[in-house]
Amino acid sequence: MENEGGFSMTNQQISGNMQSYRLKQAGSLDELERIQEEIPQVQRGEVLVKVKATSLNYRDLAMVQNDYPGGVADNLIPLSDGAGEIVAVGEGVRRFQVGDRVAGNFTKEWFGGKRPGYTEPYGSHSDGWLTEYKVLNPELLVSVPDHLTYEQAATLPCAAVTAWSALHGPSPLAAGDTVLTLGSGGVSVFAIQLAKLLGLRVIATTSSDKKAEKLKELGAEDVINYQSTPNWGEVVKERTGGVQRVVEVGGPATIKQSLQAVANGEEVAMIGVLTKEGDKLDYFDIFGGASTRTIGVGSREDFENMNKLIADKKMTPVIDSMFSFDQAREAFDYLASQKFFGKIVIRHD
C-alpha cells in the first residue's frame, strides 16, 4: 500500500526516504547539512515516530560551535527535544500503539531514581530529533498532555524537565516560598510557570524592560534589571531575607550573586553554563550556609509527573518563534542572537 508521500507500509513498516540534518563536524553552522536517507525500520521492541516538531536549547548551539563539555561525535543528527506521532510498532511493544502522541525523554535510560552513571545524550553522542522519522525503544518516550500541540510538546524534554527538577529535589519547596530565576530563556520561563502552579513566589532578573513586563505577565512578583543593578543578588537578599531556591542558569558570571541571594540553609540549583567568565569565588562565598545542587535535566518519572501537573492546570509553554524544517539554520542563528523569550521551535510538517 502506498500513501500520497510515496511511502509504502507493510506489516507496520514504512519504507522510503526521509530528510535529516546532520552535523558533519562540530565547529560551524556551515557543517550542518540537510541530507536524504532511508527511513529506519522498526525491530522487535521498537517504535517509529514521525517527528512533528523539535525545539532548540543552548546546548544545541554549543555543540554546533564545538563548545559543548564532553565533545560531540561527528555526523550526528542534532537536537535533544522532539515530539511526534507513533506510526509503526514492532513486535512485542505494549507501552504505546500507532497513533499515540509522544515526546522523547532527554536522558536515555533514566527512568527514575538516581541518575545512571553514563548515558549517551541525544545530539552529542547519539542521533537527535532533527529528522523526519526516528526509531526508538518505547521506554524512552512519554505521552504528551492532550491539550498541547506537537510544537508545544516539543519544548518540554530539556528545559521544562530541568526547571521541574530544580524546583524539586532533596529539599522540597512549600507554597509561599520564594524562587529566583535568571533571564528569559527556556528553563527560566518554565521555572516561573511551574513555580506559580506550585504556589511559589517568584523574583526574576532580566536586562530588558520589555522582557520584564512579560515576566510579570507570567507571574513574577518582582523583576530586577541586572544591567542597571549589577549587585542584584544583594538586592534580592535585602527585599526577601533570602530566597529558598535559585534556578541558576548563568554559570560563572552569575553564581556569586546567586549565592548572595539565597537564604542560609537553602539551595542554588545549578543548571547552566551560559557564561565562561565571572567574579572569582572564594571559600567564604560558599561557606555562607547555602547548598548547591547540580541539575542534569531529569528522569522519565520526573517528566511524567510534570506532565500530570501541566495537564491538570492546562499550562501552555511559551514559544517565541517557529521555523519550518527548511529553516533549521535560521533557527540556530536566532538562538545565537539571544533575542528570544521562551522557546524556539522547528515545525516538521
Side-chain angles (χ1 to χ4, degrees), residues 135-177:
V135 161
L136 300 106
N137 182 322
E139 298 296 329
L140 308 180
L141 299 168
V142 302
S143 297
V144 299
D146 291 339
H147 73 285
L148 297 183
T149 65
Y150 284 114
E151 292 79 13
Q152 292 167 338
T155 69
L156 299 177
C158 181
V161 177
T162 296
W164 175 263
S165 297
L167 296 175
H168 289 75
S171 301
L173 295 170
D177 283 346

Side-chain angles (χ1 to χ4, degrees), residues 23 25-28 60-69 71-72 276:
L23 185 64
Q25 188 176 32
S28 168
D60 301 311
L61 180 63
M63 285 185 284
V64 167
Q65 297 173 338
N66 199 23
D67 199 24
Y68 185 69
V72 182
K276 294 182 178 180

Side-chain angles (χ1 to χ4, degrees), residues 1-2 6 10 28 36 53 67 73 90 99 145 174-175 196 210 230-231 234 250 252 269 277 297 305 314:
M1 178 174 71
E2 188 169 289
T10 306
S28 168
Q36 179 173 286
D67 199 24
K196 301 314 296 181
K210 183 177 180 180
N231 63 329
E234 298 171 18
E277 298 179 355
V297 190
N305 287 337
K314 298 295 187 288

Side-chain angles (χ1 to χ4, degrees), residues 64-182:
V64 167
Q65 297 173 338
N66 199 23
D67 199 24
Y68 185 69
V72 182
D74 291 342
N75 203 40
L76 287 184
I77 297 172
L79 303 192
S80 61
D81 292 14
E85 177 187 0
I86 292 178
V87 293
V89 174
E91 184 182 353
V93 171
R94 299 290 181 267
R95 182 171 167 81
F96 293 108
Q97 59 186 1
V98 171
D100 284 347
R101 296 171 0 114
V102 295
N105 194 50
F106 176 87
T107 306
K108 295 173 68 174
E109 299 179 6
W110 185 9
F111 306 120
K114 186 177 180 181
R115 183 177 182 175
Y118 175 76
T119 59
E120 291 187 347
Y122 291 117
S124 59
H125 293 79
S126 62
D127 282 337
W129 286 80
L130 195 52
T131 181
E132 291 185 307
Y133 289 89
K134 186 169 180 62
V135 161
L136 300 106
N137 182 322
E139 298 296 329
L140 308 180
L141 299 168
V142 302
S143 297
V144 299
D146 291 339
H147 73 285
L148 297 183
T149 65
Y150 284 114
E151 292 79 13
Q152 292 167 338
T155 69
L156 299 177
C158 181
V161 177
T162 296
W164 175 263
S165 297
L167 296 175
H168 289 75
S171 301
L173 295 170
D177 283 346
T178 302
V179 173
L180 172 64
T181 64
L182 311 183

Side-chain angles (χ1 to χ4, degrees), residues 12-13 18 30 39 82 110 115 118 183 231 267 270 293 302 304 317 333:
Q12 292 194 321
Q13 293 282 15
M18 67 177 186
D30 292 336
I39 296 173
W110 185 9
R115 183 177 182 175
Y118 175 76
N231 63 329
E267 183 183 90
M270 299 174 64
R293 176 168 58 103
D302 294 325
E304 291 173 332
D333 284 334

